[in-house]
Amino acid sequence: MLVIALVDRTGSGLWASVSVLYFTYVTGLSVAQIGTLAATAGAVGIAGSPLGGLLADRFPLTRVLFAVQAARALAALPLLLTDHYGLLLAASALAGFGDRSSRVLTRLYATRVAGADRVRYQAVQRTLANAGWAVGGLAAAAALTFGTTGAYRFLLAGDALSFVACALLTLRCAEPPSGSRTVTGSTDRTPKNRPSGPWRDRTYLTYVATETVLFLDDAVITVGLPLWIAHTGNVPHGLAPLLLVLNNVLVVALQIPLSRLGATTTAARALLFPLAAAYALGGAAMALSATGSTVTATLLLVGAATAFTLAEMLHATVSWELSVALAPETAQGAYLGVHGLAQSAQRSIGPLAVTAAIATGPLGWTAFGTGIALTCVVQHRLVRDRLAHPPLSVAPVTVSEH
């Protein structure tokens, strides 16, 4: 599954950075039409997380993931073969659903196969995914130097083939054990003591709501920093892509070492306090960057990008552990699927939150960082009583991959 993460994100890196250009110059869509495609993918993708997790509690996980990867490959065909807008909308919807489902399913696989070592496993998986994204992005940049329609189609075809490869590799992965399915002979039976599910679990739903806020670091890196640089005008615009590179390099270099700090549930919960500090410092650095000289502002923005990247890595570690520790073993798929809604929701509210901070100015960034820091404290208190009586944990299991 680690190889699958690398292949998947390499393909995504090929396509994500050029999709808007492809729809503009090759397909000939208007700005409004492109925006509708993106909105459709995002809206349908919201259902992908909970539905994917629910299916994985009822059917073999590797088979569900194979179907999702195959659907993602299928979604790329209309983009290559037609410019009919209705078909493009349907393909975007299928792609959005498949993207969000696959993320939850690969995470659930890591949870089941790695057991108590799940945080480190997912840190390695995330590091490989970021490396794949960087490789794909560099390949896309090289291909676009040709500036031809063929180059764009080559990148899209590469993305589609990556999904085919992921689907085939998934078939070679052993099925991890699942607490939600017991096997007697060849018949799967659902345990009679299945919990009512995450939708009636108020503590978990509140936890997911706080997670939506903590995921806002993504919007800062992808939207907030570039727009703030353009808005303030006191640093070169070329700094924006360099900060994105810095983010990627730091994640690749530090995600695995930092994951050791949250290897247990107690340690992961304790990380919420340094996580709060990182968010607060990042917001303060963004605010101060508007008041200094070019050199000072540049240094502060580098500091802000570093702080928010540190927050991103710490939160990933905390989230990997707590989202599983708060879920009963017999319904991990359903619970992690609902947890995936936090990232989906952040994709909608994140850009609005950072643009509101930008519009308000330095005070807005200070409030932004402080607000997320306080949410960390709220989450720390929220999960305390639940973790005092944790659900059954998954025993460590070793599964060979071919």
Side-chain angles (χ1 to χ4, degrees):
M1 198 59 67
L2 296 176
V3 174
I4 291 173
L6 177 64
V7 173
D8 188 336
R9 301 307 286 171
T10 300
S12 296
L14 289 174
W15 173 242
S17 58
V18 302
S19 59
V20 172
L21 297 175
Y22 177 87
F23 288 131
T24 300
Y25 297 116
V26 178
T27 312
L29 300 183
S30 66
V31 173
Q33 288 175 316
I34 295 173
T36 302
L37 287 180
T40 299
V44 177
I46 291 175
S49 296
L51 185 55
L54 193 64
L55 290 173
D57 275 343
R58 286 159 172 75
F59 303 99
L61 173 56
T62 53
R63 298 302 181 262
V64 177
L65 185 54
F66 168 81
V68 168
Q69 297 288 16
R72 296 173 77 191
L74 183 64
L77 284 178
L79 305 183
L80 280 170
L81 302 177
T82 183
D83 57 1
H84 187 279
Y85 192 62
L87 291 176
L88 295 180
L89 277 174
S92 296
L94 182 60
F97 180 88
D99 178 67
R100 302 312 303 174
S101 294
S102 66
R103 289 172 185 263
V104 167
L105 294 171
T106 53
R107 185 176 168 199
L108 181 59
Y109 186 96
T111 298
R112 291 178 177 175
V113 77
D117 201 30
R118 56 183 172 252
V119 172
R120 179 169 174 78
Y121 186 102
Q122 292 191 103
V124 174
Q125 184 167 282
R126 188 167 190 257
T127 299
L128 289 173
N130 274 268
W133 185 275
V135 170
L138 290 173
L144 288 185
T145 58
F146 296 98
T148 63
T149 298
Y152 284 107
R153 295 191 183 280
F154 170 80
L155 294 173
L156 177 55
D159 187 32
L161 288 175
S162 73
F163 299 143
V164 173
C166 288
L168 295 177
L169 288 170
T170 299
L171 290 178
R172 302 190 64 184
C173 293
E175 179 68 21
S178 169
S180 61
R181 298 170 57 247
T182 57
V183 180
T184 303
S186 60
T187 303
D188 293 337
R189 302 184 187 276
T190 301
K192 294 181 180 180
N193 62 342
R194 176 185 293 279
S196 58
W199 296 108
R200 295 184 180 181
D201 190 333
R202 294 182 180 179
T203 299
Y204 200 84
L205 290 177
T206 306
Y207 164 72
V208 171
T210 62
E211 284 285 86
T212 302
V213 178
L214 300 192
F215 274 118
L216 288 175
D217 58 78
D218 181 68
V220 175
I221 297 297
T222 59
V223 179
L225 278 166
L227 281 181
W228 184 241
I229 289 172
H231 180 76
T232 57
N234 59 346
V235 295
H237 290 182
L239 179 64
L242 294 179
L243 294 180
L244 292 177
V245 173
L246 174 65
N247 168 263
N248 198 275
V249 169
L250 288 176
V251 170
V252 171
L254 299 177
Q255 183 66 78
I256 294 176
L258 286 175
S259 71
R260 300 190 186 104
L261 301 178
T264 67
T265 302
T266 301
R269 179 171 175 255
L271 280 181
L272 284 166
F273 288 124
L275 175 60
Y279 278 123
L281 288 173
M286 292 287 283
L288 292 172
S289 68
T291 62
S293 64
T294 297
V295 174
T296 301
T298 299
L299 292 175
L300 284 168
L301 287 173
V302 171
T306 301
F308 279 114
T309 301
L310 177 61
E312 173 189 344
M313 293 184 287
L314 289 176
H315 177 235
T317 299
V318 173
S319 182
W320 290 331
E321 177 60 27
L322 293 187
S323 60
V324 175
L326 293 170
E329 183 183 357
T330 52
Q332 284 179 343
Y335 272 72
L336 290 183
V338 170
H339 182 263
L341 291 175
Q343 285 182 301
S344 299
Q346 184 279 141
R347 289 190 171 191
S348 297
I349 70 171
L352 296 177
V354 297
T355 52
I358 291 170
T360 312
L363 183 61
W365 279 116
T366 302
F368 180 89
T370 302
I372 305 180
L374 290 175
T375 305
C376 292
V377 177
V378 170
Q379 186 178 110
H380 185 275
R381 183 176 180 82
L382 171 69
V383 303
R384 180 184 59 189
D385 293 338
R386 178 68 160 264
L387 294 177
H389 305 283
L392 293 175
S393 59
V394 182
V397 177
T398 300
V399 178
S400 63
E401 296 186 34
H402 303 284

